[in-house]
Amino acid sequence: MAVFSWFVLIQAPVLNSAMATGTVGQKSAVSAMAVATHRGKMAAAQVVGSLPGGPPPETPGEPPFEQGRGFRCLSARLCALRPDDSSSGRTEIHLLFDQLISETYSEGCGVAPEDVSTLLVQACRLVPLNQNHLVSKLSQLIHHLLNTLQVIVDEQNLDFLLAYTISAIQQCSSWTHMQILQALAALVYCNGSKCQKYLPDLLGKSGLLMKLSDLAQSDPEVRRAAVHCMANLCLSVPGQPYLEEPYQNICFQVFLTTLQSPKSSDMDDITFCMLLQNALKGIQSLLNGGKMKLTQTDELGALLAVLKKSMFHGLPGLNIEMPTVLYPTPLPQYDGRPPIQPQQSESSTSRPAVSLPLAASGAAGEDRVSSPFSSSSWKRVSSSESDYSDAEGGMQNKVRSYQARVRQGALACFLSTIKSIEKRVLYGYWSAFVPDTPELGSPQSVSLMTLTLKDPSPKTRACALQVLSAILEGSKQFLSVAEDTSDHKRAFTPFSVMIASSIKELHRCLLLALVAESSSQTLTQIIKCLANLVSNSPYNRLKLSLLTKVWNQIKPYIRHKDVNVRVSSLTLLGAIVSTHAPLPEVQLLLQQPCSSGLSGSSSATPHLSPPEWWKKAPSGPFVEEGAVSSPKLSSEPCWLIRLCISIVVLPREDSCSGSDAGSAGGSIYEPFPMRLEALQVLAHLARGYFSMTQVYLMELGEVICKCLGEADPSIQLHGAKLLEELGTSLIHQYKPDSSVAPDQRVPVPLVVTFWTAMLNGPLPRALQNAEHPTLQASACDALSSILPEAFGSLPSDRQILCITMLLGLNDSKNRLVKAATSRALGVYVLFPCLRQDVIFVADTANAILMSLQDKSPNVRAKAAWSLGNLTDTLIVNMETPDPSFQEEFSGLLLLKMLQSAIDASKDKDKVKSNAVRALGNLLHFLQPSHIEKPRFAEIIEEAIQALISTVLIEAAMKVRWNACYAMGNVFKNPALPLETAPWTSQAYDALTSVVTSCKNFKVRIRSAAALAVPRRREHYGSVEQYAQIWDALVTALQKSEDTTDFLEFKYCASLRTQICQALIHLLSLASPSDLSCIRKTLELHRDMVQSYILQFLKSGTERDDTGAPHHPQERDQMVRTALGHINSVQALAGDPAKRAIVAFLEDTLSIYSDSSGSQVAPLGLTHR
């Protein structure tokens, strides 16, 4: 790069003219302003590494122009100067620089970013590089103005200023490097992508920043400033290009090396802390803005090792030793014992050795290591407890403050790391950061909980809890392997036991932290972390009492003075009642006496007002009407339901409203976040513990009406969600497979009363609230959760209201509303009282077909699901004795439905899966009167070709499964010409291909079931076609265990059952010409086929989706029917096939009879 010299400055008149007059492109100025705004937000959000020196307070009442007058006057004087190497000229420049630096600035003071850039360019022209003092003063001015005024230099001026500062570092004395680097850091802030042509000079092998940040750099301040420059280079702005990958890797290695290196002897503690902060900020910028991916295990392990080390930097009472790299393996990787002082060694993946302070009470010369959880070691240290003087105390406090910032920066960087790697990779390092129950006599491992329990800084404790929450979020699958065991005699600890132990230790430590915490902000984080832990822990596999401890300790915090603590407490209670619901332990907790745990004298819990405040309940005719009829399961009311109802509907008390920032001005109720969280808890209870919630059905109806009648859309929305959950739980009670006894269900008349009140209340208004489409969609979902048995008993005008509103909303322009409406219509079309109404079904069909043309994939997916339901209704109506529905249903509409379903079968998988289901039903529904019409022939052919192609394509399992199911439905229609149609053989070819080769066993099962549907031999076509199907099924039986996917093994038995049923079905229809191919296959695979048929006969009564008989007697009868048919077949003269097949079946039945111990006479012997 050309050296920036005084001569070059003089010889640049064009550039000088442009810069002196401040002509910066309008676009660049606007861009700079936008980035400056982003910079202000970014600087406020940074945990560490912020530039020192905030802006002074803005003078009230002074207009921006007046505030910037001093800057403009000084800028004008500076721009009027010309390069002058005389002593007086240098003095004047010095004075102007001093005045500019000392001027009072604030954001929004009327100084335009382009004016700042122009001034700095002019200043650079006036200062030759041989004047070290002026260059130093200029560097201070650049740093001060850009930082104080939050200016991002535009690209044109940045190019000029970077060239100058780089040349200054190259030519000026080393004592100026610190100030020049500060200026460079301010220039490149959020400008990394605009510095491309200078990156080789800065970050190349012999680049300036590489040299100055090297460990060999003698000046620690210069090294720190160089690392700071690199960190600012890595900071990117959304919408702009990232730093190129090679330079990202160079910076990452510098930051990593900086964090790994110990403090040099010539570096003071504060400089070292700032150096670490800058390195951590740089890595965080690379992970956040640069989207850097940590793909190498060594790279990730090295980063996690230094982050763990930095997380505990300067923590009183701890001195940890870390390996260079953490590996995701449970094997020991290093020995944590130093040569002199004995310490506890820990496993390599997580537990570095811990050096704890020596006990003061020991005799001289004695070294004693105290446990980390001992009272002295774990007590939070404050400055008042130290033994240094007041003069030393100020510096010591400053050092501790900087050390806390390092810990916070490490935690913020760790949080970014967690978000940038896959969870399955992260959980390989679980034991490095999450505590485990220590063995008896062993010290506690150092983990995130160490910071939570011991760090003196509330902010650091909150950061540690945020990181722990991020680790726990989405960990349900990982933690699901946990299992409690009382067997301690094993030679090793199973992984499942280790995870269970870790979960229990997390519960213990977080509850300890809950009691000990005094900061409301940190207390909120503890409770949120507990909620994350509760949401992901497999309590159904753990011993009882964990949730009970959490439950009892969180109850007092519901009345905490801080609203955020109260909200998070409700969130935690919601997590408890929603995890693995219903849990017997939680059922018991919900039945606790009302006042249990809500008051207490413990000084560790916040002061509470008497618990009677929430026992009050809303009263009115709505409640009284249904209270008598509702089934009572317990005489003790559920205190949590009563609490939540009170939070939603009762006026708040003054005693807890001191910090209710979330409360609307003048509102008499609890703050909105509290009320919303209470409604969510009620929804969780309605979903998981409806047996207790149903007692309050009518009272909750009143709560819902109140919420829907309020002005705030969020309260209305949560009220609608609660209504949907109640309706869904009522539907589940009345399902055929429900385990709820009839006398414990909510009576249908009460459900009718409930929904009548809803429809007479504000629900219709919510459905018509076009200003809030999300509320409309939620109200549609709620309307679709009406119990079918109750809908038929609603007043006719309310039924008409529901149908009219749904059909009307289907024309909505909003896609959320349209999707919800399409789904609701698909639910209503299955209602017994509506499905035989030809007019309603036709109106619904037309509405659904319109939605299938929508541009939104979500709307089309819901419409396709509803179309599938509507065609299910057609099949149900076809099976009723009354043929009037089939006769009245429009043939033209059937054609439209077929065409729409064919088109939808070419859509995305979510649409396609239900489209092919609808096609199968429609082809099953077609009557002879339809099939005879020429206009149907072409569309039938097209529909079946669509099904065949869907069976064969490599699509999602659900799509192919539905296509096979649909093909089976096609075969059920006796009016279709299966024996003559050209597409029949194509359909069989597709199904036989799938049954033998599809990777998914559920699809194979469904294809085998489809092959067993035809009821006449003619439907299977020619002898060759029949033989192909028979051979394919035998081959599929032989390959029924061939899979590389472990998850498919559980379907092996169902697959064999269905194939055996299909083979026996084919035998029961065989013609004389088919016997020879059957015999040939049996000769080759007799033992294999016989063994699987015997398994089929002996298998239990497990239900599956194959449609196979569930009782052994039915299966036995199937084989005997096939044997009887074969015996009745008139075999061709001289063909031994019949005798061989009969012998095979009789032998199979004989073996089965002997093994089952029943006396069964062999059938068919007299027919030989």
Side-chain angles (χ1 to χ4, degrees), residues 196-269:
Q196 294 298 331
K197 75 176 186 178
Y198 297 104
L199 291 179
D201 296 304
L202 295 171
L203 300 175
K205 285 188 177 180
S206 57
L208 292 174
L209 295 181
M210 298 301 292
K211 289 179 180 177
L212 297 176
S213 64
D214 192 76
L215 297 176
Q217 170 59 232
S218 58
D219 188 340
E221 286 288 351
V222 170
R223 183 182 167 207
R224 181 198 65 76
V227 173
H228 187 197
C229 282
M230 296 176 74
N232 281 5
L233 266 172
C234 296
L235 194 63
S236 62
V237 179
Q240 291 188 3
Y242 304 130
L243 198 65
E244 291 178 356
E245 189 174 343
Y247 292 115
Q248 284 190 5
N249 293 329
I250 289 170
C251 292
F252 179 80
Q253 289 304 323
V254 171
F255 298 144
L256 198 61
T257 304
T258 302
L259 293 170
Q260 290 171 336
S261 306
K263 183 170 77 72
S264 58
S265 57
D266 60 341
M267 186 180 291
D268 63 81
D269 288 334

Side-chain angles (χ1 to χ4, degrees), residues 532-606:
N532 252 333
L533 176 61
V534 167
S535 297
N536 291 285
S537 296
Y539 294 101
N540 53 336
R541 294 170 60 88
L542 301 173
K543 292 178 181 175
L544 296 180
S545 81
L546 281 180
L547 280 175
T548 302
K549 291 173 183 175
V550 176
W551 183 276
N552 290 333
Q553 288 213 173
I554 199 59
K555 283 168 79 173
Y557 292 90
I558 298 166
R559 293 290 292 155
H560 193 275
K561 64 181 180 180
D562 188 276
V563 65
N564 294 317
V565 174
R566 302 207 303 277
V567 171
S568 55
S569 300
L570 278 176
T571 303
L572 176 53
L573 288 171
I576 292 174
V577 298
S578 63
T579 182
H580 298 283
L583 285 173
E585 183 180 2
V586 176
Q587 191 97 18
L588 291 173
L589 292 171
L590 288 169
Q591 292 171 348
Q592 280 182 348
C594 298
S595 58
S596 174
L598 279 180
S599 62
S601 58
S602 172
S603 60
T605 57

Side-chain angles (χ1 to χ4, degrees), residues 39 51-52 120 138-149 179 181-186 228:
R39 173 183 178 157
L51 296 172
L120 295 178
L138 172 60
S139 300
Q140 292 177 42
L141 178 65
I142 293 172
H143 171 260
H144 180 71
L145 287 179
L146 295 183
N147 183 43
T148 306
L149 293 173
Q179 286 77 23
L181 286 170
Q182 282 187 333
L184 181 61
H228 187 197

Side-chain angles (χ1 to χ4, degrees), residues 551 577 582-592 630-642 645 682 685-697 700 726 733 744 746:
W551 183 276
V577 298
L583 285 173
E585 183 180 2
V586 176
Q587 191 97 18
L588 291 173
L589 292 171
L590 288 169
Q591 292 171 348
Q592 280 182 348
S630 182
K632 293 279 184 181
L633 300 183
S634 170
S635 58
E636 183 66 47
C638 176
W639 70 269
L640 183 55
I641 295 177
R642 300 238 44 83
I645 291 175
L682 287 172
L685 287 164
R687 186 187 307 121
Y689 297 89
F690 188 67
S691 60
M692 303 192 72
T693 313
Q694 68 184 48
V695 179
Y696 301 88
L697 181 64
L700 289 172
L726 288 170
Q733 271 198 347
Q744 292 297 313
V746 179

Side-chain angles (χ1 to χ4, degrees), residues 314-370:
L315 185 66
L318 280 183
N319 179 25
I320 70 169
E321 297 176 7
M322 288 295 301
T324 309
V325 180
L326 287 177
Y327 292 101
T329 168
L331 300 175
Q333 77 185 45
Y334 76 105
D335 188 353
R337 295 192 182 95
I340 301 174
Q341 182 179 348
Q343 291 181 338
Q344 182 70 31
S345 64
E346 297 187 14
S347 71
S348 60
T349 58
S350 61
R351 298 168 188 159
V354 182
S355 300
L356 294 165
L358 303 181
S361 59
E366 284 187 31
D367 289 349
R368 187 152 58 94
V369 179
S370 61

